[in-house]
Amino acid sequence: MPIARPAPQAPRVIAHVDLDCFYVQVEQRRRPELRGLPTAVVQYNAWKGGGLIAVGYEARKFGVKRSMRGDEAKMVCPDIQLVQVPVARGKADLNLYRDAGSEVVSILAAKGRCERASIDEVYLDLTAAAEQMLTATPPDTLQEIDEETLKSHVLGLQNGESVKQWLCRTDADHLDRLLACGAVIVAELRAEVLKKTSFTCSAGIAHNKMLAKLASGIHKPAQQTVVPSSSVPDLLGSLPINKMKQLGGKLGSSLQKELGVATVGDLLHFTEEKLQELYGWNTGAWLWNIARGINGDEVEGRLLPKSHGCGKTFPGQQALKSLSVVKHWLNGLCEELSERLQADLDKNKRLAHTLIIHADGSKAQGALTKRKFPSKSCPLRYGTAKIQEDAWKLFESGLREFLDLQSSEWAVTSLSVSASKIFPVPTGTNSIVKYFGEKQQSYSQTSEVCDVYGEDTTSISSSEISGDHLSEASDLQPVNHFGEENNGCHSPGMTHQTNKCSTVNREKGVCSILEHFHPIRFLKHFPPTVDGGTSGSKDEETESFKNEDAGTSPSHEIQVDQQREIWRFNVEDVDLSIVKELPPEIQQEVQTWIKSSKRTNPAKRPGSSISHYFAPVKKS
DNA sequence: ACGGATTAAACC
DNA sequence: TGGTTTAAT
């Protein structure tokens, strides 16, 4: 249930674009001989022919459905071509499809704000482009309208009115004329996608995300559907409640069962107050709105995913029953995650901040079997070995809780690791990069991040770090013994002693930030007491700090992370004994800085001259 | 305890 | 916060 936003004042043109049976198309592009044949993509095929995750339209004619097994599909469609998802480290590897999805996104992002909604779906806000077209070259002025545009489906056309007539109506209201422009633009975009990638897609064009999403699913494959405002009541009036996004689950079935609401239109019979009384303030308002086709959700300008994750299930007999085996799989998952994080860093200059693991398990508990396994998270450090180490600690901690003092039989039925809280790498005025650029190197002043990660930059490559696999598993303690090893610290983040932060290419003086710190860890070592020995507040991390203000008392900041992690040094006061305890690369930078500064009278008050903290996250 | 692997976001 | 739950594909 998204926040129930009021409808925006100005009319918008929103499109939802959905790739048709995407994985199948990707495979058919790789293997053209499969084109036109009934095809499905399966992952794993040892057990009953594997599970179908995408079904081509030729195969759908035979009644092949997603969630069938390969064997079942063969039964109803003996000639079906079953293509297997690539496997890496014993698990399905979806990178092929992720990359193909990115190709499409970069094409679709050309005409307006674009939001990657999933691996094969995007939302577009085409308002500006449509307004502009309406001013410059509205459809009725065009010599000939794109064939693809003419094939649009327009909901609620009047008796025998052709699509072309609708598109070119000069007496239509502003809203409809905008949608017509949207249809032209989307047809162009779809043609572009087809030309550049060979993928077909379906699309919906409407005044908001909800309606656009709904529309894109009405005519498939390779078609587009326009939803004029006037058609909304009929559309929603006949739409089964569970077909509406967000109502396909419990909320939808509750509406159906408890209120007898069969279609979205049926919601019109309830007042907003009643819906709020039943489902809460926000959800109630949201329901009242969608019944009327009102939806204010904005198209977020975001082309990249907000998190990365990978996981695997171990059903039935395959359940993992020993620490060494869990460690093996966890290492594999971490390896994949690490590769993807590194690729994101290289390609998109983004750093993830949080590592999360989740597992499902079962254990004997009396007669029954329990299955809640706690999720755990910690600050994320880059490097395959580090991620593996941290994930393992998280798992141990989760398992301890899971077993709850009782040592008994246990089995893990699913494992996953993910990385979230991803921010762009800093480009700000106070970044390490800028610091080196200005004070030390012949680096150009406007040194940008892309320069930083140039080819000569030292960076941790996945091949450099060997993951520990089963060989190391023999060191492991028995399950019921590992209660003591962590010294009461629950989070791996609190226990790491190595404080590496970045790797430095000394030749160029370039820093690539491959790891990050967690504030709490360091606040312990370096209480954030600031300038002149005034009482240090432990709440330093919440103190807002303006970079430009630093001018009065000469201090230097190193901003490690995007507007978040900051090391601050007082010019007169840096204590060399403390400097020695800093992470090596920071240490080097501080010393370089000290030399280049005109410090006259260094003080020696341990802890008083350096603060390290996270700046508050700035909301835009 | 076979609808798997991912993503996102609300909720507490 | 971190951790859990819901939902979608």
Side-chain angles (χ1 to χ4, degrees), chain A residues 466-481:
Chain A
S466 64
D468 37 353
H469 286 283
L470 280 173
S471 54
E472 202 185 288
S474 48
D475 308 349
L476 294 176
Q477 311 261 321
V479 184
N480 38 357
H481 283 190

Side-chain angles (χ1 to χ4, degrees), chain A residues 391-432:
Chain A
W392 178 245
K393 291 218 173 86
L394 291 177
F395 175 79
E396 282 183 326
S397 142
L399 183 60
R400 263 198 305 276
E401 245 174 69
F402 181 64
L403 296 180
D404 194 33
L405 305 178
Q406 302 145 38
S407 68
S408 55
E409 289 275 315
W410 54 270
V412 168
T413 53
S414 86
L415 264 185
S416 73
V417 297
S418 59
S420 62
K421 304 201 178 148
I422 303 180
F423 304 107
V425 89
T427 66
T429 52
N430 271 0
S431 68
I432 289 179

